[in-house]
């Protein structure tokens, strides 16, 4: 009988984690409702706002990423009784809810600091701007990747996770502004014009930057000096490699077109998708192999 219980325990605990994940998603919806100046249900149904739908899809995807980062933070005791199991699950849920609050704080920050001269949230709700919706979707996912890396850092604590997440947010803003300088066109102007191609290119590039910063935040915590040194090295080296490799791949995979012209003049969503997918793909290669 004990053997059967031990064999079924991992399955039962995995099922519990799945149920908790769904509950966290439901709770995340109400947290966003509470912290937002608009009604989610009204934007999604009554107004049929596609820009809001894209942004909210990114939010829910980000919540899943954070929950996966939080799940299993404390090993679940298979033979230590129900008290230890519930304590471990409670810690996982606490990390997840903290992550949901961090995602909403990140949206507030990115709305004001990532792209100057515009408020992403107002473009989404007041103008149904799908380019702004894609950008907000990308910032949610990037922030979640950074936070998941900080949460999963071996040897870390709540303090290290908070500090690394904040540093990651600052780095994401700086890297995003550098991209805007190097894009070859005024990114903010194109998003204000609801140029979906520009929104897709920038939004997916932000996700790529989030991947690089997830690597920078997820290394083993040794001490602050070495951890911050590795953070800076991973972020800077990853960004340089990303820019170089993207330039090379743009030349080889789209030899007969200039990306900036396709995005600005033709508003070619295909160009935005290619640029964004290349950015994410190259960032993924850097994260896994570098």
């Amino acid at each position: 009988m004990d053997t059967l219980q031990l064999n079924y325990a991992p399955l039962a605990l995995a099922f519990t984690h799945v149920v908790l994940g769904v509950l966290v998603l439901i709770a995340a919806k109400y947290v966003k409702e509470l912290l937002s100046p608009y009604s989610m249900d009204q934007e999604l149904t009554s107004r049929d706002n596609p820009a809001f739908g894209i942004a909210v899809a990114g939010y829910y995807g980000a919540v899943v990423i954070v929950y996966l980062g939080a799940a299993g933070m404390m090993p679940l005791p298979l033979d230590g009784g129900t008290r230890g199991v519930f304590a471990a699950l409670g810690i996982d849920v606490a990390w997840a809810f903290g992550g949901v609050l961090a995602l909403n704080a990140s949206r507030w920050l990115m709305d004001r600091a990532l792209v100057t001269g515009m408020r992403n949230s107002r473009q989404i709700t007041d103008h149904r701007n799908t380019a702004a919706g894609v950008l907000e979707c990308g910032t949610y996912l990037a922030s979640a990747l950074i936070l998941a890396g900080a949460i999963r850092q071996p040897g870390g604590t709540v303090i290290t996770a908070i500090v690394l997440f904040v540093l990651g947010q600052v780095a994401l803003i700086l890297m995003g502004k550098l991209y805007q300088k190097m894009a070859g066109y005024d990114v903010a102007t194109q998003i204000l014009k609801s140029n979906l191609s520009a929104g897709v290119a920038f939004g997916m590039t932000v996700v790529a930057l989030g991947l690089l910063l997830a690597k920078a935040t997820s290394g083993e915590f040794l001490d602050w000096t070495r951890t911050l040194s590795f953070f800076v090295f991973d972020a800077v080296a990853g960004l340089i490699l990303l820019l170089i490799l993207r330039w090379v791949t743009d030349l080889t995979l789209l030899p007969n077109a200039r990306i900036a012209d396709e995005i600005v003049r033709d508003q070619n969503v295909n160009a935005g998708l290619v640029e964004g997918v290349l950015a994410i793909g190259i960032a993924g290669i850097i994260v896994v192999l570098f």
Side-chain angles (χ1 to χ4, degrees), residues 63-76:
V63 172
V64 171
I65 292 172
V66 171
Y67 180 72
L68 291 176
M73 281 300 298
M74 181 176 176
L76 298 174

Side-chain angles (χ1 to χ4, degrees), residues 156-188:
T157 64
V158 174
I159 300 300
T160 61
I162 293 173
V163 171
L164 288 172
F165 176 66
V166 171
L167 289 175
Q169 292 288 282
V170 173
L172 183 62
I173 291 170
L174 295 176
M175 294 162 85
K177 288 187 176 296
L178 178 61
Y179 167 84
Q180 294 175 65
K181 294 288 186 183
M182 302 180 65
Y185 56 91
D186 190 327
V187 174

Side-chain angles (χ1 to χ4, degrees), residues 120-161:
N120 222 41
S121 58
R122 290 178 183 171
Q123 287 296 312
I124 291 170
T125 56
D126 296 347
H127 304 288
R128 303 164 62 93
N129 186 335
T130 54
V134 174
L135 176 56
E136 185 162 299
C137 174
T139 58
Y140 272 131
L141 295 174
S143 296
L145 288 168
I146 296 168
L147 182 57
I151 290 174
R152 298 296 296 183
Q153 185 179 71
T157 64
V158 174
I159 300 300
T160 61

Side-chain angles (χ1 to χ4, degrees), residues 32 38 40 44 51-62 133 136-137 140:
K32 186 169 177 61
Y38 40 72
M40 288 181 62
L44 290 172
F52 189 82
I54 294 169
V56 169
Y59 174 67
Y60 287 137
E136 185 162 299
C137 174
Y140 272 131

Side-chain angles (χ1 to χ4, degrees), residues 63-268:
V63 172
V64 171
I65 292 172
V66 171
Y67 180 72
L68 291 176
M73 281 300 298
M74 181 176 176
L76 298 174
L78 300 182
D79 54 358
T82 56
R83 179 177 296 181
V85 171
F86 281 114
L89 291 172
I91 290 174
D92 292 344
V93 171
W95 276 104
F97 276 111
V100 169
L101 294 176
L103 285 176
N104 282 275
S106 172
R107 184 203 63 80
W108 183 90
L109 177 64
M110 293 295 164
D111 196 29
R112 288 158 174 77
L114 183 61
V115 181
T116 55
M118 59 170 279
R119 283 285 183 87
N120 222 41
S121 58
R122 290 178 183 171
Q123 287 296 312
I124 291 170
T125 56
D126 296 347
H127 304 288
R128 303 164 62 93
N129 186 335
T130 54
V134 174
L135 176 56
E136 185 162 299
C137 174
T139 58
Y140 272 131
L141 295 174
S143 296
L145 288 168
I146 296 168
L147 182 57
I151 290 174
R152 298 296 296 183
Q153 185 179 71
T157 64
V158 174
I159 300 300
T160 61
I162 293 173
V163 171
L164 288 172
F165 176 66
V166 171
L167 289 175
Q169 292 288 282
V170 173
L172 183 62
I173 291 170
L174 295 176
M175 294 162 85
K177 288 187 176 296
L178 178 61
Y179 167 84
Q180 294 175 65
K181 294 288 186 183
M182 302 180 65
Y185 56 91
D186 190 327
V187 174
T189 297
Q190 293 305 314
I191 292 176
L192 284 170
K193 290 181 178 179
S194 195
N195 183 341
L196 183 58
S197 179
V200 167
F202 190 27
M204 295 180 75
T205 298
V206 169
V207 176
L209 297 175
L211 275 172
L212 296 178
L213 290 168
K215 174 178 171 60
T217 59
S218 60
E220 182 178 2
F221 183 83
L222 301 171
D223 56 63
W224 280 114
T225 300
R226 283 184 284 184
T227 295
L228 294 179
S229 297
F230 286 132
F231 174 86
V232 173
F233 174 80
D234 284 340
V236 173
L239 178 62
I240 292 172
L241 280 173
L242 176 65
L243 293 175
I244 293 174
L245 293 175
R246 277 188 63 195
W247 177 73
V248 172
T249 51
D250 281 348
L251 287 179
T252 55
L253 297 181
L254 288 173
N256 299 319
R258 187 170 178 268
I259 291 290
D261 290 340
E262 292 294 320
I263 289 175
V264 175
R265 183 188 61 206
D266 300 334
Q267 297 194 11
N268 187 344

